[in-house]
């Protein structure tokens, strides 16, 4: 790699620009034609890159879907940093509820839910890529709260964020109950209430 | 209807037997061919009743799916009554996790999640029929805990049960994290912890 020919205007240079263009193109296709209509060829053409370039990094449409979802969430939804755990959790869940209320986003989440991730390694990888990245982001909220001394240092960030967001996903996907400000409020209260009393500790055997 | 020819061996007589046969047939078909393969004609034939009889009570395959899911959950999973809220919540969630780990059950739940329930009134009715009935059952657990004086009388049973089960549904449908005993344990602890500290109260404006 000859870095001198690619001065780093942004982290990663050309590679990052390709990733960005592909994720943008995948997102545009996904919101337009849905998961069933997404193709690697179509995304490559829209992104202006070779199909082989897409295949190398995103071997399946599931990987493209994950990249597109990440693009969507990262673009519109910077990780909240309000100064308190209460504020951060409320802001994060408000973002997620707003996303889940967008029909084109919900269509993609429904597609993801419909796929059996035990059946196909690439699906598992694609779905994981999205949720792992989102949870990794959200863990920063928990780490900052630990640093501020708001919650115990052994708090399990994954369990905490999962408890916060799961009722909203369940309402979006399965229930006929409103995704509203009351749900945001009660979800935040339940998680903070658990943290206040018994805590949400990591298991002894998990790192 | 000549009730004298059909002594009530079980509540509801012939009507209840028809409902039972249809739900059984729908469940068998659903587990066998999946949601996409479910037809009213097929269910009517398997149940030994006229198609019009099925249409009258279950106008769409979504209604049949709801009936089948209820049959499945009711048959294998009597509502726990262990004498404590902790025991009941743990038993209920253990049942649900066991169901979600059965591939044929998960396939049906995935199908339900995939369908846009805002788009089609019959889908909404079908999905609601299932979740409303399940939540109505689960509320008995909460009511008994209130009667025993374990929790506040204004506890919101729906929010409580939703907080308990939602992380398991989320793992089953979207995440690549294990549906295991640890998740059951942490979900129960979070809900009980919230009840201990801030409670999970009904909104002032909800009945």
């Amino acid at each position: 790699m000859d870095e001198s020919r690619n001065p780093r205007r942004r982290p990663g240079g050309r590679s990052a620009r390709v990733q960005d263009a592909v994720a943008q193109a995948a997102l545009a296709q996904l919101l337009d034609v849905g998961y069933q209509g997404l193709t690697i060829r179509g995304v490559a053409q829209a992104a202006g890159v070779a199909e082989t370039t897409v295949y190398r990094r995103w071997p399946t449409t599931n990987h493209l879907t994950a990249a597109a979802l990440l693009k969507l969430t990262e673009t519109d939804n910077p990780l909240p940093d309000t100064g308190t755990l209460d504020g951060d959790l409320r802001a994060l869940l408000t973002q997620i509820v707003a996303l889940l209320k967008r029909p084109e986003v919900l269509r993609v989440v429904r597609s993801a839910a419909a796929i059996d991730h035990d059946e196909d390694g690439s699906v598992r990888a694609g779905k994981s890529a999205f949720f792992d990245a989102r949870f990794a982001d959200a863990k920063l909220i928990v780490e900052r709260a630990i640093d501020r001394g708001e919650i115990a240092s052994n708090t399990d960030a994954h369990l905490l964020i999962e408890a916060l967001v799961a009722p909203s996903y369940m309402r979006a996907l399965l229930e006929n109950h409103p995704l509203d400000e009351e749900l945001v409020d009660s979800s935040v209260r339940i998680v903070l209430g658990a943290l206040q009393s018994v805590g949400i500790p990591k298991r002894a055997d998990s790192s």
Side-chain angles (χ1 to χ4, degrees), chain A residues 94-114:
Chain A
T94 300
Q95 286 178 352
I96 290 172
V97 164
L99 281 169
L100 289 174
K101 289 176 92 156
R102 287 171 58 179
E104 75 280 17
V105 175
L106 186 51
R107 193 167 58 195
V108 174
V109 178
R110 288 195 191 287
S111 299

Side-chain angles (χ1 to χ4, degrees), chain A residues 2 10 31 35 45 65 67 124 135 143 155 174 181 198:
Chain A
D2 184 352
R10 45 174 297 172
L31 298 183
Y35 182 81
Q45 286 176 347
T65 301
R124 190 162 56 245
F135 274 103
E143 282 166 19
T155 301
L174 291 170
E181 179 56 35
V198 295

Side-chain angles (χ1 to χ4, degrees), chain A residues 2-46:
Chain A
D2 184 352
E3 284 292 335
S4 66
R5 286 178 52 206
N6 283 315
R8 289 184 65 177
R9 266 167 290 173
R10 45 174 297 172
R14 179 175 184 283
S15 164
R17 284 196 303 279
V18 166
Q19 280 184 45
D20 196 57
V22 168
Q24 287 283 22
L27 178 59
Q29 277 222 350
L30 206 50
L31 298 183
D32 188 31
V33 298
Y35 182 81
Q36 302 306 325
L38 191 71
T39 63
I40 289 182
R41 169 169 299 192
V43 169
Q45 286 176 347

Side-chain angles (χ1 to χ4, degrees), chain A residues 59-142:
Chain A
T60 71
T61 52
N62 299 307
H63 291 86
L64 285 175
T65 301
L69 284 173
L70 275 176
K71 171 60 65 193
L72 176 73
T73 51
E74 285 170 359
T75 304
D76 296 353
N77 298 288
L79 194 71
D81 188 5
T82 64
T84 67
L85 181 60
D86 185 327
D88 284 357
L89 295 181
R90 204 170 289 274
L92 177 69
L93 188 54
T94 300
Q95 286 178 352
I96 290 172
V97 164
L99 281 169
L100 289 174
K101 289 176 92 156
R102 287 171 58 179
E104 75 280 17
V105 175
L106 186 51
R107 193 167 58 195
V108 174
V109 178
R110 288 195 191 287
S111 299
I115 300 163
D116 184 347
H117 52 81
D118 283 338
E119 217 165 62
D120 176 342
S122 79
V123 179
R124 190 162 56 245
K127 284 168 80 167
S128 297
F130 174 68
F131 280 99
D132 288 355
R134 285 293 286 170
F135 274 103
D137 277 355
K139 281 175 184 175
L140 288 175
I141 289 177
V142 178

